[in-house]
Amino acid sequence: MSVKPNVLLLGGTTEASRLALLLAEYGIAAIFSYAGRTESPRTQPIAMRTGGFGGVLGLAAYLREHRITHLVDATHPFAATMSANAVTAAALTGTALAALTRPAWQPEAGDRWTRVPGLGDAVEALKGPRRHIMLALGRMHVDAFGAQPQHHYLLRFVDAPEHPPALPDHSLVVDRGPFLAETDRDLLRTHAIDLIVCKNAGGSGASAKLVAARQLGLPVLMIDRPALPERREFHGPQDVLRWLGHDASPGTERGV
Ligand code: NAP
């Protein structure tokens, strides 16, 4: 007899929120976990908790204490520490693990991408004369670009920061995706942007800036994803549901 799932869903992405909706709809026991980085995270239709677990051992203890049967890692592709911890804690506790990921973006005709392996390489690549750069990175990694203070930086954050970013010349827009190509094109034009720096997040929520860059013929400095340990991966919330023993195809009887 299969075990009734009790899911811990590591969130912080649009895909995690989509899966949470399905879990609620199908009545599957589940807890949604936020790191607690944003001030007003989206309310989820399942139980929620916020904050780190205290490393691998903390997560392992949580999995045991809450009798989690399935751990679903739907964190951002650049949340490498959390994802690595999930693999180790799942192995330590014998918890089934799957990641809900999105394919990386691929350059299309008309794109002018330069790819770099990491954040430090992106900072290094910005040596040289002043430019108007959109740093589409989220607030956590922006300060590293203080090493190239000659540029004007356009920043877009989900929340207004408590302390001003350590960049001498910047404009800040507070906005939450998903974004539209048309409005991103206007934003790039208004700020006279001549380069976009971003992480290869994949997915549709943040891809508008790439479409806008293509339309305007702007170059993009694309930071590749960090390497992650091998794990079971799904690209769609429905696939995760199937893995949990529920048939999520429309028109079929729902599992229990
Ligand atoms: P990270 O570097 O991999 O994680 C650092 C620590 O934050 C983890 O070791 C863990 O603390 C805690 N943590 C991360 N995700 C968590 C979650 N869902 N629930 C509970 N604790 C969590 O991750 P990050 O890059 O700081 O990202 C933090 C969160 O923001 C993630 O949930 C991610 O999905 C979201 N996010 C990240 C990015 C990005 O570009 N990195 C972009 C959009 C959204 P303990 O070790 O104490 O357990």
Side-chain angles (χ1 to χ4, degrees):
M1 210 178 76
S2 60
V3 185
K4 208 172 172 196
N6 186 26
V7 178
L8 175 62
L9 171 56
L10 304 174
T13 58
T14 316
E15 290 75 13
S17 300
R18 281 196 196 123
L19 177 58
L21 257 183
L22 280 179
L23 292 170
E25 196 185 321
Y26 281 72
I28 300 170
I31 303 169
F32 191 105
S33 178
Y34 275 119
R37 299 277 194 277
T38 52
E39 267 169 34
S40 47
R42 189 190 295 215
T43 303
Q44 299 296 336
I46 55 177
M48 286 162 58
R49 66 165 299 285
T50 302
F53 297 94
V56 169
L57 295 181
L59 177 57
Y62 186 96
L63 294 172
R64 286 198 191 98
E65 192 185 322
H66 293 263
R67 299 178 185 281
I68 300 298
T69 59
H70 295 74
L71 176 58
V72 180
D73 177 3
T75 57
H76 192 271
F78 280 75
T81 306
M82 187 70 254
S83 291
N85 288 357
V87 170
T88 313
L92 277 176
T93 55
T95 309
L97 168 74
L100 174 59
T101 63
R102 41 196 179 190
W105 290 317
Q106 301 298 335
E108 294 182 17
D111 280 336
R112 297 173 58 202
W113 291 12
T114 302
R115 294 170 68 161
V116 286
L119 188 75
D121 308 278
V123 174
E124 199 56 24
L126 296 189
K127 276 187 177 158
R130 175 179 168 84
R131 305 183 74 168
H132 281 224
I133 300 172
M134 179 180 189
L135 268 191
L137 293 168
R139 132 182 89 116
M140 283 182 293
H141 305 297
V142 154
D143 287 355
F145 290 84
Q148 306 290 351
Q150 70 275 32
H151 304 298
H152 175 78
Y153 292 101
L154 168 63
L155 312 173
R156 180 161 62 188
F157 293 168
V158 175
D159 300 310
E162 271 177 33
H163 309 288
L167 299 172
D169 183 2
H170 71 265
S171 318
L172 174 64
V173 174
V174 177
D175 200 357
R176 185 187 292 248
F179 302 105
L180 298 172
E182 203 184 337
T183 38
D184 271 7
R185 207 172 52 221
D186 290 345
L187 184 73
L188 294 171
R189 275 207 191 111
T190 305
H191 291 268
I193 296 302
D194 53 33
L195 175 71
I196 296 174
V197 179
C198 67
K199 299 186 277 196
N200 196 332
S204 57
S207 61
K209 59 181 175 279
L210 299 178
V211 178
R214 191 178 306 137
Q215 290 169 349
L216 297 173
L218 290 181
V220 173
L221 188 61
M222 182 65 77
I223 304 172
D224 281 337
R225 294 175 172 202
L228 293 174
E230 207 153 298
R231 67 237 165 116
R232 181 186 289 111
E233 286 195 14
F234 296 114
H235 288 324
Q238 274 82 2
D239 300 323
V240 177
L241 229 59
R242 239 168 260 128
W243 174 65
L244 294 171
H246 290 250
D247 189 344
S249 51
T252 56
E253 200 176 311
R254 288 170 184 184
V256 186

